[in-house]
Amino acid sequence: MADLFGKWVPDEWIEQVFETCKKASQHTYMFLTKNPYRYIQLALRGRLPNRENFWYGTTITENGRLPFNALEYKRNFISLEPLRGPVSEKFPFSNIGWVIIGQQTGPGAVPPKDEWVQSIIDQCKAAGVPVFVKRPLYERFPIQKWPEGLR
């Protein structure tokens, strides 16, 4: 695995991926990175496509900062996986198009506290943001909603 938006990846490579995706516009593309500030850098240079079938996401494991308020892209998402801590009641969920919640898996995995998960679900519901809870958390929180146009 690798992060397409890592600092070490040349812009030209990313642009080639975007161009290839544009040629198959019948598909929906979900880009996920741990370096979301690269989205802003590309957008400021006019190199981040704002297309209906391009979704931009970032992985956050607990209270993190989101750059999405700097973008005018509503097709964005966060993946709170593995959820390792509580998320602030002041987290800007209203700027997010979709939230995915997952837990650490494998030997020695530590599941998140139920109150952390429930708080995120409640905040998203209040903000009108769909939430998708992955297994095995789904067993306790059976919510798997998709954003409009992404199914």
Side-chain angles (χ1 to χ4, degrees), residues 82-85 102-106 108-117 136-137 140-141:
L83 182 59
R84 291 190 231 162
Q103 76 174 52
Q104 185 179 26
T105 57
V110 178
K113 293 183 179 180
D114 285 354
E115 57 265 25
W116 301 344
V117 177
L137 280 178
R140 293 192 315 281
F141 301 93

Side-chain angles (χ1 to χ4, degrees), residues 6 8 10 12 15 17 28 54-55 57 66 74 77-78 89 94 97 100-102 108 111 114 122 131 134 138 141 151:
W8 58 90
E12 295 76 30
E15 290 174 37
V17 170
T28 298
F54 282 40
W55 281 75
L66 280 181
K74 277 309 230 181
F77 66 100
I78 57 171
E89 296 289 331
S94 60
I100 301 165
I101 305 171
D114 285 354
D122 292 345
V131 176
K134 295 176 72 174
Y138 177 80
F141 301 93
R151 184 112 204 245

Side-chain angles (χ1 to χ4, degrees), residues 14-27:
I14 297 171
E15 290 174 37
Q16 288 175 358
V17 170
F18 289 152
E19 289 306 313
T20 300
C21 294
K22 288 177 187 177
K23 291 177 184 174
S25 61
Q26 73 274 23
H27 299 294

